Amino acid sequence: MAELDASKLKVTLSEKKSKLLDNDKLVFGRSFTDHMLSIEWTEAEGWAAPEIKPYGPLVLDPSCCVFHYAFELFEGMKAYKDAKGNIRIFRPDMNMIRMNKSAERICLPKFDGAVLTDLIGKLIKIDERFIPEGQGFSLYIRPTLIGTTAGVGVHHPDRALLYVILSPVGPYYATGFKAVSLEATDYATRAWPGGVGDKKLGANYAPCILPQLEAEKRGYQQNLWLFGPNNNVTEVGSMNVFFVFKNPQNNKNELVTAPLDGTILEGVTRDSILKLARERLNPDEWEVNERYYSINEVAEKAEKGQLVEAFGSGTAAVVSPIKKIGWKGSDIDVPLLEDKEYGQLTKTVQQWIMDIQYGIDEHPWSHVIA
Amino acid sequence: MAELDASKLKVTLSEKKSKLLDNDKLVFGRSFTDHMLSIEWTEAEGWAAPEIKPYGPLVLDPSCCVFHYAFELFEGMKAYKDAKGNIRIFRPDMNMIRMNKSAERICLPKFDGAVLTDLIGKLIKIDERFIPEGQGFSLYIRPTLIGTTAGVGVHHPDRALLYVILSPVGPYYATGFKAVSLEATDYATRAWPGGVGDKKLGANYAPCILPQLEAEKRGYQQNLWLFGPNNNVTEVGSMNVFFVFKNPQNNKNELVTAPLDGTILEGVTRDSILKLARERLNPDEWEVNERYYSINEVAEKAEKGQLVEAFGSGTAAVVSPIKKIGWKGSDIDVPLLEDKEYGQLTKTVQQWIMDIQYGIDEHPWSHVIA
């Protein structure tokens, strides 16, 4: 059974050289670079030789299990150009660990994450000219693993395809770093204990669109997922979510997000924010907690003036400030800094992460591509 | 916005004429007929002209939303040859209603089910020679709807492809009408209230394979899904499940299955069994109930000699008798008729349904293709 092996890489360069889009023309995940990484796997032989080849369509039998039973998972990462022209990626080890966990859960093949990171680096180098420059701009990396066994019996896949495509992107929201409005969703549930809500499976995404469209219909930009009889806050759209509360007992601020109980995506940005907040915020002034909290607690705290700010977190948007939350027919107003579209910590955290991503703050989380 | 329109059908016949497999060579969903039905949809134009064309691969951009976010759903139906040579399909209206419900839930386009049924009929007529003859043999029909929008932003699809492929099949289990052993799964959950477990989405299937493989490792053939703090019985593998209990209070038999609360697939076979049982079983001897019941109730009843029989139900296997259930380290034995691989009602119900499917019992559920 062959392991994933970067030394077997075959490179076929594209004859086409696409024109680059201007930064202001970049729409998230819409345009792609000239090449892709593609690696086939079979149960009998293991991982075939990796190939970098011209970006092009997949040709698959209509009975392939990816079309019928959602044997599919992905990751989201970004490559950044730093001021010296180095290419950096952010905590790729975390994405590789998560991707392997996702694969294991739906019986797709695992692989050595360091080898895939190395191969992704080689792909990025080939398409380096597509990395847009400027704060908020990057090359979005989409590693994808699909089951390709033909036949509609419900079995574990004995064939799979791992591929990586690259998309030059600007800020996720066309509106830029602007606070969003959310509608809390109590009629649909994203994930459940014993389910797969903590894995980056395709299966977790399609069912999330309807609640988002419903929220949009009523004038909100995203939906806020709740869970259980207490309506605990879990995630926002397809991001993790953080709240800041003022604790009147000890006069500290509390940064809070839901714990990883199997219903929450194990966000790399979420983890980074928690680690940086615990390191860098003054413990005399701050508590950082992973705990359950309900939308009712948020509403109560807002009423008492103890809701300080809130933001979503994820690779695509990094952080996304929140300005209001529709719940039970009225809106919970989330404070923002005067004349700004964000709260103080939201801005601070965004700067921390982006400074590491762009190599302004030299940090072990930022991986320079050789 | 164009509706699905059978009068626009374009037919391109295959130049290849595949050799038919012998009945004993048929593996469920492994071989397909020479043609497929394919219909494109765009948000801007609606449904394009349907096409029947040679069976062949799908050519899709690697960024298509079906590969990343599981915009995919399907149906399972069967076509049967009756003794007079008519082609029959079983309750296609039910599959079309369910397919539209699945589509609505993940923002894929809806369509007129009667029109699709008509088009499926035309496809089957063209590939009629593939319908295998004999009890337990049929042509499995797989209508599939996938989102084909290119780009990795998480949006509702503005392009989709509806296609139908056909596979000549024999009995689902290679072992034939033989009782299966199940392992009750308490460490993973298939579906939850507010989720999508009642829809025939790809998303519901990939996460089910690991528990099945785990069950197989320990010598069972399928897993039995439980739900909630009481460990209520919900489904078996990818089928609905029925139990027969003896009620010592009134000396009646009770046929029981879980209620449609959003966590249970709305099986066409399930519905048919309930309707026929309510019509045909003597109410002085039988109760037919859709209610919650736990694995503990099953174990208790088995211990007291009140467990009569049990079976799974679904389009692929029709009914699938159960002989034992592993739970908490020991096995619940499910009675079978002496020297048989099934219980009395299991056999009766299977005969009822198959007699309708093969046109032996002339019944409004059996739809003859014109």
Side-chain angles (χ1 to χ4, degrees), chain A residues 80-86 88 90 134-137 280 350-368:
Chain A
Y80 310 85
K81 258 285 167 64
D82 73 15
K84 293 177 197 151
N86 293 315
R88 293 169 174 271
F90 184 70
Q135 281 268 310
F137 291 86
R280 297 183 181 184
Q350 190 218 28
Q351 206 61 56
W352 285 347
I353 304 242
M354 288 180 62
D355 283 355
I356 297 173
Q357 288 173 334
Y358 289 91
I360 294 162
D361 174 7
E362 193 62 63
H363 191 284
W365 286 347
S366 185
H367 172 92
V368 176

Side-chain angles (χ1 to χ4, degrees), chain B residues 108-129:
Chain B
L108 285 172
K110 296 203 291 177
F111 53 86
D112 184 327
V115 176
L116 184 58
T117 302
D118 183 20
L119 288 163
I120 289 173
K122 291 183 195 321
L123 175 65
I124 293 170
K125 282 294 233 187
I126 288 173
D127 278 338
E128 180 170 354
R129 68 188 184 95

Side-chain angles (χ1 to χ4, degrees), chain B residues 308-325:
Chain B
V308 182
E309 59 188 291
F311 57 89
S313 77
T315 294
V318 188
V319 298
S320 175
I322 296 164
K323 66 180 173 194
K324 69 174 177 179
I325 304 167

Side-chain angles (χ1 to χ4, degrees), chain A residues 276-327:
Chain A
L276 292 175
R278 284 173 175 141
E279 268 175 37
R280 297 183 181 184
L281 293 175
N282 181 347
D284 296 335
E285 293 168 16
W286 285 89
E287 292 176 73
V288 179
N289 291 322
E290 291 165 83
R291 69 166 173 90
Y292 293 110
Y293 62 104
S294 71
I295 186 71
N296 301 311
E297 181 180 343
V298 173
E300 264 175 49
K301 293 226 150 94
E303 208 157 289
K304 292 185 190 160
Q306 295 165 6
L307 172 59
V308 182
E309 60 187 290
F311 57 90
S313 76
T315 295
V318 188
V319 298
S320 175
I322 296 164
K323 66 180 173 192
K324 71 173 175 180
I325 304 167
W327 170 239

Side-chain angles (χ1 to χ4, degrees), chain B residues 191-312:
Chain B
W192 49 85
V196 295
D198 56 341
K199 306 294 187 297
K200 220 160 167 67
L201 305 182
N204 289 325
Y205 289 80
C208 289
I209 301 305
L210 191 65
Q212 186 180 318
L213 292 181
E214 288 289 319
E216 284 172 20
K217 250 191 228 166
R218 289 181 284 271
Y220 301 90
Q221 281 153 288
Q222 286 275 339
N223 77 306
L224 180 72
W225 291 103
L226 308 177
F227 181 74
N230 298 329
N231 289 312
N232 285 336
V233 174
T234 60
E235 299 199 12
V236 47
S238 48
M239 291 190 281
N240 296 122
V241 66
F242 287 82
F243 282 79
V244 179
F245 300 132
K246 176 68 82 185
N247 182 343
Q249 255 108 52
N250 58 14
N251 215 28
K252 289 186 182 181
N253 280 319
E254 182 191 20
L255 176 64
V256 63
T257 194
L260 300 180
D261 65 356
T263 67
I264 303 293
L265 185 76
E266 300 180 359
V268 178
T269 310
R270 175 190 178 280
D271 181 83
S272 306
I273 290 169
L274 287 171
K275 285 205 168 70
L276 292 176
R278 284 174 176 140
E279 269 174 37
R280 299 184 180 183
L281 293 176
N282 182 347
D284 295 334
E285 293 167 17
W286 285 89
E287 291 176 74
V288 179
N289 291 323
E290 292 165 81
R291 67 166 175 90
Y292 294 109
Y293 62 105
S294 70
I295 186 72
N296 300 313
E297 182 181 340
V298 173
E300 263 176 51
K301 292 224 151 95
E303 208 157 293
K304 291 185 192 159
Q306 296 165 7
L307 173 59
V308 182
E309 59 188 291
F311 57 89

Side-chain angles (χ1 to χ4, degrees), chain B residues 18-27 30-31 130 132 168:
Chain B
S18 302
K19 206 169 159 289
L20 300 181
L21 291 175
D22 292 335
N23 274 6
D24 63 349
K25 291 280 184 303
L26 296 174
V27 177
R30 185 74 60 84
S31 67
F130 285 89

